[in-house]
Amino acid sequence: EPEVTQTPSHQVTQMGQEVILRCVPISNHLYFYWYRQILGQKVEFLVSFYNNEISEKSEIFDDQFSVERPDGSNFTLKIRSTKLEDSAMYFCASNLAGANTGELFFGEGSRLTVL
Amino acid sequence: KNQVEQSPQSLIILEGKNCTLQCNYTVSPFSNLRWYKQDTGRGPVSLTIMTFSENTKSNGRYTATLDADTKQSSLHITASQLSDSASYICVVSAYTGGGNKLTFGTGTQLKVEL
């Protein structure tokens, strides 16, 4: 069964360092998303991506964050200068028809720990 | 402000028993409501999706109900198993004509014991 895959599963970094989280969405999907979940809290939307551009982003997704689909398969989230409060589980998701319709498939997550 | 509230926050039941989880929402304009199961440290997995016109949907031992008038939903788990131990998240989608407007609840942490 097709699945969304994410790497790394866990990354530890020093405050101020750049981090890139990678995702391979399901191959025929058109909409891609990043969410985050701080330990013990609810899942929060970061950004959605369609047709090679950001379609929507939340207040969390400030200038420190960027997304890219460099090669037609990978979908990356970059955090330029990590802060302690960026420590969270980051989930990539994808679907075929947009978040408002149809099932959204999540990856297993990348746990980011900022020291 | 769009909000999704879930209750109870946590629940412990014995294997084989049934349970019902609740979700109340104030999301507008309503598009659909989803229930996800999230195992600890894993990504959420979809259980059901219901639109405005659907008031019940089943997926195996999971049955979700929706009352769009009162803006309430429930997830009923029948004959619970140890593997049902997880967080169950209610997610409500607001129709915006495009883009993402999913509002997540904080989840109900279910533990099934022998």
Side-chain angles (χ1 to χ4, degrees):
Chain A
E1 185 174 328
E3 58 182 17
V4 177
T5 58
Q6 291 185 240
T7 55
S9 56
H10 188 193
Q11 181 157 355
V12 181
T13 189
Q14 295 290 326
M15 190 169 55
Q17 294 297 303
E18 176 182 284
V19 162
I20 297 176
L21 306 179
R22 292 181 169 80
C23 168
V24 179
I26 294 173
S27 61
N28 64 335
H29 284 184
L30 302 176
Y31 295 79
F32 315 111
Y33 311 87
W34 282 101
Y35 291 84
R36 80 171 186 190
Q37 187 176 29
I38 295 171
L39 186 64
Q41 298 186 23
K42 63 181 178 181
V43 176
E44 300 173 288
F45 167 70
L46 292 178
V47 65
S48 59
F49 193 87
Y50 170 71
N51 200 26
N52 286 319
E53 61 182 22
I54 291 173
S55 50
E56 194 159 355
K57 59 184 180 180
S58 71
E59 296 172 349
I60 303 168
F61 195 88
D62 61 22
D63 292 343
Q64 292 299 313
F65 291 88
S66 62
V67 289
E68 194 176 38
R69 195 155 188 254
D71 56 11
S73 60
N74 290 285
F75 178 51
T76 62
L77 174 69
K78 181 192 289 186
I79 309 174
R80 290 190 181 83
S81 179
T82 50
K83 304 187 285 286
L84 294 176
E85 54 264 38
D86 293 327
S87 294
M89 185 76 107
Y90 288 82
F91 292 107
C92 174
S94 71
N95 74 349
L96 193 54
N100 289 329
T101 58
E103 188 171 343
L104 195 60
F105 293 83
F106 286 85
E108 295 292 5
S110 292
R111 181 173 298 283
L112 176 63
T113 302
V114 182
L115 301 176
Chain B
K1 183 181 178 182
N2 290 338
Q3 286 189 316
V4 175
E5 302 289 339
Q6 292 187 242
S7 62
Q9 188 173 13
S10 62
L11 182 62
I12 301 174
I13 62 173
L14 295 176
E15 188 181 29
K17 298 296 186 182
N18 304 336
C19 67
T20 301
L21 315 180
Q22 302 290 343
C23 173
N24 296 332
Y25 62 92
T26 55
V27 174
S28 180
F30 176 84
S31 175
N32 57 66
L33 184 145
R34 309 143 185 251
W35 283 94
Y36 284 88
K37 178 186 179 186
Q38 185 179 24
D39 292 314
T40 301
R42 309 289 294 273
V45 175
S46 178
L47 296 175
T48 62
I49 301 174
M50 289 184 291
T51 60
F52 184 88
S53 60
E54 298 173 294
N55 54 25
T56 186
K57 184 166 277 191
S58 291
N59 178 1
R61 294 180 296 102
Y62 301 102
T63 299
T65 64
L66 173 64
D67 185 335
D69 291 331
T70 62
K71 299 185 178 180
Q72 296 180 325
S73 175
S74 66
L75 181 69
H76 186 75
I77 304 175
T78 304
S80 61
Q81 300 174 358
L82 296 178
S83 58
D84 292 332
S85 296
S87 179
Y88 290 84
I89 305 173
C90 177
V91 183
V92 183
S93 173
Y95 180 72
T96 62
N100 175 74
K101 286 293 184 184
L102 296 182
T103 302
F104 285 72
T106 53
T108 291
Q109 190 68 44
L110 174 66
K111 185 175 182 183
V112 180
E113 295 181 336
L114 289 171

